[in-house]
Amino acid sequence: MITQIGLKNFTAFRDLAIDLSPKINVIIGENGTGKTHLLKVAYGLCMGYTLLKSISAAGKKAIEKALTAKLLRLFMPLDNKLGKLRHHGVSDNAQLDACFASDRKVVATFQAQSRTLTIQESANFEQYQAVPVFIPTKEVLSLVQGMNHEEHDQKTVDRIFDDSYIDLSGLLKRKGHDDPQTKIDLDPRFGSIVPKLVKLIGGRYYWEKGGFCFQRGSYKEKPDPERSKSKHAQVYQDSMVTRFIPTADPVYSSSMTAEGYKKIGILHRLLINGSLNPGTSGPLFWDEPESNMNPKLMKPLVQILLELSRNGQQIVLATHDYVLLKWFDLLMDKGKADHVRFHALYRDIESGDVRVESTNDYNLIRKSAISDAFAELYDEDVKRALG
């Protein structure tokens, strides 16, 4: 769990610090205020153990080298130079810092000509083992086959896609350690969430012959084929299990299905293969989940994200969508210990620097371009209705 992120002289940010909720964080702001940059740098700093697990001696130099490589792959700056990530027009060093649960922390700096980050502080950073997940704006399911085909050119893939896409591709093709059906039967969290995701899009995506296919169907309860035949034994055991029941419809390539459906399919896949495991995995960073998704899907999607949060999953997402934003406000249930913190990024009129306004109450957000735009639209509609 990441509890705080601080950025100085980094990309769009002159000086910014955000305290993150352990549950759900919603980041809003106009284009160019750095929402995606904020998500990417937080994701990169959350990957301490993931970056270092293949290194035998995780010393300071190893951490610096691994974090530098990750930031360069996430941001892909001009000439692949770290100095290009420094805030334009400043002479001071850039600084990144993050605080995590259990008093873990990392602080890194770099200069205009730096080749690697310099770690100023790394309190138990290499021991942070909760692996984060980043879902970028564009869907990835239909891209996985091309990214992993035996004849693909990795250099070309690396030039087209940053690591947020490549990392997710690797997670999506994971088979996982457990049979998804068993997972649903044994863990009531998955028995609630996974069937809802499948119902939302009318089927599931699964890996076959090097690519993802879509199969229509739904999860239903049915008698356990492994249950005892003894009537006396059946009294003491649960005789029902949840199984995916496909329809007679043909199977489709993922490329033939709607992009909004594929984004739901990504979340489903990450849950059933264990890449996303509430209470164990690191934060879920999701950039514009509403992209190419029908507004009708927003309410059930928010309900599912709230359910994940209730089971221990920290979520940090960025959005431009008023419908998604408002459903978080309306569906949050304090009786179920829900907590949503809204972070509104905006540019200071005098300095032009990006600032943040954070609040636990949606109605207290003052710097919201989204709400302002919809209020203007409503006013214009009223004017036309009144002639």
Side-chain angles (χ1 to χ4, degrees):
M1 180 189 302
I2 182 169
T3 58
Q4 187 182 65
I5 181 78
L7 303 172
K8 292 183 179 179
N9 301 323
F10 183 81
T11 64
F13 307 107
R14 183 72 176 81
D15 190 355
L16 190 83
I18 294 183
D19 292 318
L20 296 169
S21 168
K23 300 239 170 174
I24 294 178
N25 298 270
V26 180
I27 300 172
I28 60 175
E30 296 182 38
N31 290 112
T33 51
K35 297 183 299 300
T36 299
H37 285 195
L38 187 62
L39 261 62
K40 281 187 175 181
V41 73
Y43 170 68
L45 293 175
C46 281
M47 299 193 72
Y49 174 77
T50 309
L51 295 173
L52 299 168
K53 63 182 179 182
S54 60
I55 303 174
S56 57
K60 181 181 176 182
K61 292 296 182 183
I63 296 175
E64 291 174 344
K65 185 177 179 180
L67 271 181
T68 300
K70 196 63 186 177
L71 283 178
L72 291 176
R73 282 297 307 144
L74 284 169
F75 286 90
M76 300 175 68
L78 287 174
D79 304 322
N80 203 38
K81 290 183 178 180
L82 191 62
K84 298 293 185 182
L85 296 177
R86 201 174 62 149
H87 187 72
H88 179 69
V90 299
S91 57
D92 297 335
N93 291 349
Q95 178 172 311
L96 319 173
D97 58 82
C99 297
F100 307 91
S102 303
D103 297 322
R104 295 184 173 90
K105 184 177 183 179
V106 63
V107 179
T109 61
F110 65 89
Q111 301 174 347
Q113 302 303 320
S114 297
R115 293 192 175 185
T116 61
L117 294 166
T118 299
I119 298 297
Q120 305 294 344
E121 185 178 351
S122 59
N124 302 314
F125 176 62
E126 66 277 6
Q127 298 174 14
Y128 180 74
Q129 299 187 21
V131 182
V133 174
F134 191 107
I135 303 179
T137 304
K138 296 181 178 65
E139 68 83 19
V140 180
L141 273 180
S142 58
L143 303 176
V144 176
Q145 185 172 14
M147 288 181 173
N148 296 276
H149 192 273
E150 57 183 13
E151 296 181 0
H152 85 285
D153 179 16
Q154 189 60 46
K155 289 184 178 180
T156 301
V157 171
D158 288 344
R159 289 191 178 203
I160 298 173
F161 301 104
D162 65 56
D163 262 12
S164 65
Y165 289 88
I166 293 174
D167 289 351
L168 182 59
S169 171
L171 294 179
L172 289 172
K173 68 176 186 177
R174 280 180 55 183
K175 293 181 179 179
H177 302 293
D178 300 315
D179 172 19
Q181 306 291 358
T182 303
K183 213 168 188 181
I184 291 171
D185 293 339
L186 297 179
D187 194 329
R189 300 177 305 168
F190 292 97
S192 169
I193 298 170
V194 170
K196 287 179 181 177
L197 287 168
V198 169
K199 183 179 180 181
L200 202 55
I201 59 177
R204 66 174 180 178
Y205 291 89
Y206 67 96
W207 182 260
E208 184 175 272
K209 297 179 181 179
F212 279 103
C213 300
F214 180 74
Q215 183 178 42
R216 294 191 180 279
S218 61
Y219 280 97
K220 297 179 181 179
E221 283 194 340
K222 60 182 299 184
D224 186 355
E226 303 297 327
R227 66 179 177 174
S228 170
K229 301 300 182 182
S230 167
K231 291 183 179 180
H232 180 74
Q234 289 177 16
V235 175
Y236 299 97
Q237 66 180 6
D238 184 0
S239 60
M240 303 298 291
V241 293
T242 303
R243 290 288 182 269
F244 180 81
I245 309 299
T247 66
D249 295 315
V251 174
Y252 299 95
S253 161
S254 62
S255 298
M256 296 175 64
T257 60
E259 187 163 329
Y261 277 15
K262 283 181 278 194
K263 297 189 84 170
I264 299 294
I266 286 172
L267 190 57
H268 172 257
R269 178 75 181 179
L270 293 172
L271 284 166
I272 64 171
N273 73 11
S275 297
L276 197 61
N277 189 15
T280 302
S281 56
L284 167 62
F285 298 96
W286 198 344
D287 195 6
E288 297 183 23
E290 74 277 4
S291 177
N292 291 311
M293 197 178 292
N294 191 290
K296 186 178 179 180
L297 297 176
M298 293 297 103
K299 180 180 179 180
L301 176 60
V302 168
Q303 289 172 325
I304 289 167
L305 291 175
L306 285 169
E307 192 66 29
L308 287 173
S309 172
R310 291 164 191 156
N311 284 283
Q313 181 61 56
Q314 185 184 29
I315 298 169
V316 184
L317 62 86
T319 182
H320 286 289
D321 191 75
Y322 177 79
V323 177
L324 182 75
L325 191 64
K326 193 59 183 175
W327 275 126
F328 272 114
D329 175 46
L330 295 173
L331 296 174
M332 180 175 58
D333 187 347
K334 293 184 178 180
K336 296 181 178 180
D338 289 343
H339 186 239
V340 180
R341 184 168 295 160
F342 301 93
H343 308 277
L345 299 177
Y346 65 96
R347 288 196 178 276
D348 183 78
I349 297 176
E350 295 183 2
S351 66
D353 294 338
V354 175
R355 309 290 189 196
V356 63
E357 177 190 14
S358 299
T359 176
N360 297 327
D361 187 342
Y362 170 79
N363 296 306
L364 296 180
I365 299 176
R366 293 176 294 118
K367 304 289 186 179
S368 174
I370 300 174
S371 298
D372 292 346
F374 272 84
E376 182 182 6
L377 183 66
Y378 176 79
D379 289 343
E380 290 296 324
D381 200 26
V382 170
K383 287 179 183 178
R384 185 176 68 174
L386 296 176

